[in-house]
Amino acid sequence: MHAESSSAANAEPIQELLVDQLRDILHAEKQLTKALPKMLKAARSAQLQSLLQIHLAETEEQIERLNEALKLLGAPARAKACKGMAGLVEEGEEVMSEGEEKEDAAADLALIAAAQRVEHYEMAAYTTARNLALQLRQPAIVQLLTMSLGEEQNAGQLLDQVAQPLMSVAKMPNAVE
């Protein structure tokens, strides 16, 4: 039997899910504030260093937005361990370690690849959270999440742009005919 329930009762599980998602993203972003300075130090091209520096500042702003969104939902701004980002950060650390043995362009391209995985993970997380906030009719939260999503999308596009000239510089083995 299916009982009719109020829209408020229907919203509760979605709001709990949104809070859970926001806490997960909060932890992910906090992990990035520790990883980005290491990536910045490992980057060799000035363009990539500049991009990572800018994205570190954006990440700190994103943390503030997440705290604000949780506050608007009446939830404490507690981070929930984000294992997905932990894995991506760990991969990034491997890339940086292996990059020490590589020439500059190849090392930066590997770093960009690791950073792109992070950006796409974040885009998925912000899109999901924004869609939940839309469902809950929370325009202020939608706006906060949309700003962060836009920054993540922009960072991904900028990483692509930085990678293009590096690909032509990187020493490629002779193509197999």
Side-chain angles (χ1 to χ4, degrees), residues 28-74:
E29 297 291 18
K30 286 182 176 184
Q31 289 181 69
L32 277 182
T33 61
K34 294 182 179 99
L36 281 168
K38 295 175 190 173
M39 293 173 78
L40 180 62
K41 191 174 177 183
R44 301 182 192 171
S45 85
Q47 213 177 2
L48 182 55
Q49 290 170 346
S50 174
L51 176 55
L52 293 170
Q53 185 67 50
I54 290 165
H55 199 56
L56 176 59
E58 287 175 341
T59 301
E60 290 166 352
E61 290 174 25
Q62 290 163 0
I63 289 170
E64 291 307 312
R65 285 188 210 118
L66 290 164
N67 287 333
E68 178 66 20
L70 286 163
K71 183 179 173 185
L72 288 169
L73 290 169

Side-chain angles (χ1 to χ4, degrees), residues 44 95 98-107 110:
R44 301 182 192 171
V95 164
E98 292 166 2
E100 293 171 8
E101 310 295 318
K102 294 180 180 171
E103 54 100 12
D104 291 354

Side-chain angles (χ1 to χ4, degrees), residues 83-104:
K83 294 176 185 173
M85 184 61 74
L88 291 170
V89 167
E90 187 177 325
E91 278 187 16
E93 288 172 358
E94 287 175 19
V95 164
M96 288 184 276
S97 176
E98 292 166 2
E100 293 171 8
E101 310 295 318
K102 294 180 180 171
E103 54 100 12
D104 291 354

